[in-house]
Amino acid sequence: MHDQEVIDRILNGVDVQAAAAAFYANSAQRTHQLVASSLSTCPHIPCPPRQDARIELSPLHPPVLTSDCVLLWSTPTGIQFQRDLESQFSHSSVFKLFQVMLCSLDKDICGNYGAGLLCFTQFCDSQKISEVNRMPASTSLLSAFASAHAGTVSDKTVSNWLAGLHFWHVVNHTSWNTDGMLHHICRGVAKMVSPSSKCSKHPPITLEALIILGKGLDSSSYFDSAIWATTCITFWSCCRLGELLIPSPNLFSPQKHISHSVLPLSNCFLTNKDLTHFCSFHIPWTKTTRELGTDISITYRPHITCPFITLHAHLTINSDLPSSAPLFSFKLPNRSWQALTKPEFMRHCNQIWVEAGFPSMPGHAFHISGATELLLQGVSPDVVAQQGRWKSQAFLEYWCCIESILPLFISSSSSTSCCLALDDIMLDFICCNQLTVHPSSS
């Protein structure tokens, strides 16, 4: 029997092309899995997919975390790119290439991008689009995908999905095809957003709400002390909660989150020549400056919500914690400690507010409300922009809508004369900085 006859008998009924695709996919995936593992802060085991997150079984789309999809999901084009790289460079060089590329994104952004890739894969499955035609995706395919979700999700969601698909193409070094069709599809999606997809506007957090929260907390409690310090600092220093708190207990990263080691109690609280008490500390990461981080400025205020006093109280009652512990950690009865997380913080605050008759608030309300309160108390817009670390005109979006939230503050925190002078202050700031405000907002 000839060799070819033997081979034909062995391969009888075997889809050679599919087997070859699976082999190369697994080969490429091994390198990518090592890259994904090197960037993970802790081991994760993928959960079984939800019913609405299922896709057709394929070695090109292994069951992985959503945040790993942009790296671990591939196509024949991506596999070929991997093979070309490995034919030119050493394994370590290829590993480093993908590792550095993935470092350009944060974990939460990877999760958003992965969600878009999942929806795109589901759409392609439903339309019987072959793997070969999914990358590079044609403009017509991208447009059909975006239009299929018009009226069901927000335009921002569609934009994030497309950004994820774009990055997926970048990872696999293939062309990204867009033209006027996709541009107008995206504009149409924006106009067809259903009211249910739009986030309802939340009222700002007022000083009255902060006082109610403070009264609902126990100043002798390790946990409540961490809650109260976080509240007052986030409000008066115009911080984003993600800058001070970790998202979950197992996601602390020294490169992104502040720890006790940067804030020694003995020398972080200072007084200047004008007898003003203040404190500042450096956080390693922000949404705008990213790895450069920034300095958070805390100034004494003669009020029950004084961030200077609440921070000192927190560091005093929650002393003797490991220097590596997140800054807003608290002691437990068994003499161990626990890090305060953003979900836990918001859950506790909203429990007290809802019981007192206030609406449930989102985390970003602190950033907006603190800036608004400072403005209404007559603090210069330039100083508020510096305190909130705004680098763009996006800050004006809060100010342009200030007429809708003024009544919520006037009765509890600001004098009428101060509020009446606010328009003139804002106009002077806009003129001095040569900023442009849309007519509809002025």
Side-chain angles (χ1 to χ4, degrees):
M1 185 179 291
H2 297 295
D3 291 343
Q4 185 59 48
E5 293 177 350
V6 175
I7 294 173
D8 290 341
R9 177 174 296 182
I10 295 174
L11 296 180
N12 183 34
V14 176
D15 188 336
V16 177
Q17 289 185 340
F23 171 80
Y24 288 120
N26 291 332
S27 175
Q29 186 184 348
R30 279 193 290 273
T31 299
H32 289 178
Q33 284 177 332
L34 291 173
V35 172
S37 299
S38 72
L39 298 177
S40 297
T41 56
C42 59
H44 286 286
I45 300 176
C47 299
R50 303 192 314 266
Q51 284 298 122
D52 61 346
R54 296 186 181 277
I55 59 175
E56 293 183 4
L57 294 177
S58 169
L60 297 171
H61 311 129
V64 296
L65 293 170
T66 305
S67 56
D68 290 336
C69 286
V70 290
L71 180 64
L72 298 182
W73 283 11
S74 190
T75 66
T77 301
I79 294 171
Q80 184 59 51
F81 171 58
Q82 173 88 21
R83 293 172 62 191
D84 291 342
L85 281 178
E86 293 179 343
S87 68
Q88 301 176 61
F89 308 105
S90 65
H91 175 76
S92 60
S93 296
V94 175
F95 175 89
K96 193 68 175 179
L97 182 151
F98 285 108
Q99 187 184 50
V100 173
M101 194 185 311
L102 263 292
C103 279
S104 67
L105 300 181
D106 293 320
K107 196 71 174 178
D108 54 349
I109 294 179
C110 285
N112 292 335
Y113 283 2
L117 181 51
L118 169 64
C119 291
F120 176 74
T121 302
Q122 290 176 317
F123 175 78
C124 290
D125 288 346
S126 69
Q127 301 298 313
K128 307 301 181 185
I129 305 297
S130 67
E131 293 287 354
V132 174
N133 292 326
R134 299 183 187 190
M135 179 185 289
S138 65
T139 301
S140 57
L141 174 57
L142 294 172
S143 299
F145 165 65
S147 62
H149 295 86
T152 61
V153 299
S154 69
D155 54 314
K156 182 178 180 180
T157 296
V158 172
S159 295
N160 285 337
W161 287 353
L162 291 174
L165 290 176
H166 188 184
F167 185 77
W168 188 49
H169 280 60
V170 170
V171 168
N172 291 280
H173 198 252
T174 189
S175 58
W176 175 249
N177 302 312
T178 60
D179 59 14
M181 178 190 293
L182 184 59
H183 170 73
H184 285 283
I185 287 292
C186 290
R187 292 186 63 181
V189 169
K191 292 185 177 181
M192 295 174 65
V193 175
S194 64
S196 61
S197 298
K198 297 179 180 179
C199 296
S200 58
K201 292 186 180 297
H202 293 272
I205 298 172
T206 63
L207 276 182
E208 179 187 4
L210 255 63
I211 293 172
I212 292 295
L213 177 62
K215 290 180 178 179
L217 298 172
D218 180 1
S219 60
S220 63
S221 164
Y222 299 126
F223 175 68
D224 285 3
S225 179
I227 290 280
W228 189 225
T230 303
T231 299
C232 298
I233 293 171
T234 305
F235 184 85
W236 288 113
S237 296
C238 304
C239 297
R240 297 176 178 87
L241 275 178
E243 295 174 345
L244 301 182
L245 299 179
I246 60 177
S248 66
N250 60 352
L251 285 182
F252 173 73
S253 171
Q255 289 74 39
K256 194 171 182 178
H257 304 119
I258 183 173
S259 64
H260 262 266
S261 62
V262 302
L263 205 61
L265 185 60
S266 58
N267 59 7
C268 67
F269 296 94
L270 306 173
T271 303
N272 63 15
K273 61 182 180 180
D274 297 324
L275 301 182
T276 299
H277 305 295
F278 67 96
C279 170
S280 67
F281 55 84
H282 185 80
I283 57 176
W285 187 93
T286 74
K287 182 178 179 180
T288 54
T289 64
R290 304 181 73 80
E291 292 79 8
L292 293 177
T294 192
D295 292 330
I296 301 297
S297 176
I298 299 173
T299 305
Y300 172 84
R301 303 187 68 85
H303 194 265
I304 189 177
T305 62
C306 173
F308 184 87
I309 293 177
T310 57
L311 176 60
H312 189 279
H314 162 63
L315 294 179
T316 300
I317 193 173
N318 284 304
S319 59
D320 301 325
L321 295 182
S323 60
S324 58
L327 178 61
F328 295 98
S329 298
F330 54 93
K331 294 180 180 179
L332 296 174
N334 61 1
R335 296 188 178 182
S336 62
W337 59 274
Q338 181 177 320
L340 179 63
T341 65
K342 181 178 176 180
E344 189 176 29
F345 169 82
M346 288 307 307
R347 186 163 48 248
H348 197 66
C349 290
N350 280 321
Q351 180 181 354
I352 294 175
W353 280 329
V354 171
E355 290 177 354
F358 288 88
S360 180
M361 302 298 295
H364 66 264
F366 285 95
H367 195 215
I368 300 170
S369 303
T372 304
E373 179 62 41
L374 290 173
L375 286 170
L376 291 173
Q377 292 192 5
V379 178
S380 166
D382 290 296
V383 174
V384 177
Q386 182 68 28
Q387 179 77 319
R389 299 163 299 286
W390 277 282
K391 301 295 184 182
S392 70
Q393 297 183 27
F395 189 20
L396 288 176
E397 292 181 10
Y398 305 137
W399 299 346
C400 293
C401 299
I402 208 166
E403 70 279 356
S404 64
I405 58 178
L406 273 173
L408 298 171
F409 282 92
I410 290 175
S411 61
S412 60
S413 59
S414 301
S415 67
T416 303
S417 59
C418 178
C419 294
L420 293 176
L422 186 60
D423 283 342
D424 292 335
I425 295 174
M426 297 308 306
L427 287 175
D428 289 342
F429 177 81
I430 292 170
C431 292
C432 291
N433 291 275
Q434 299 181 342
L435 301 177
T436 301
V437 180
H438 297 296
S440 61
S441 303
S442 60

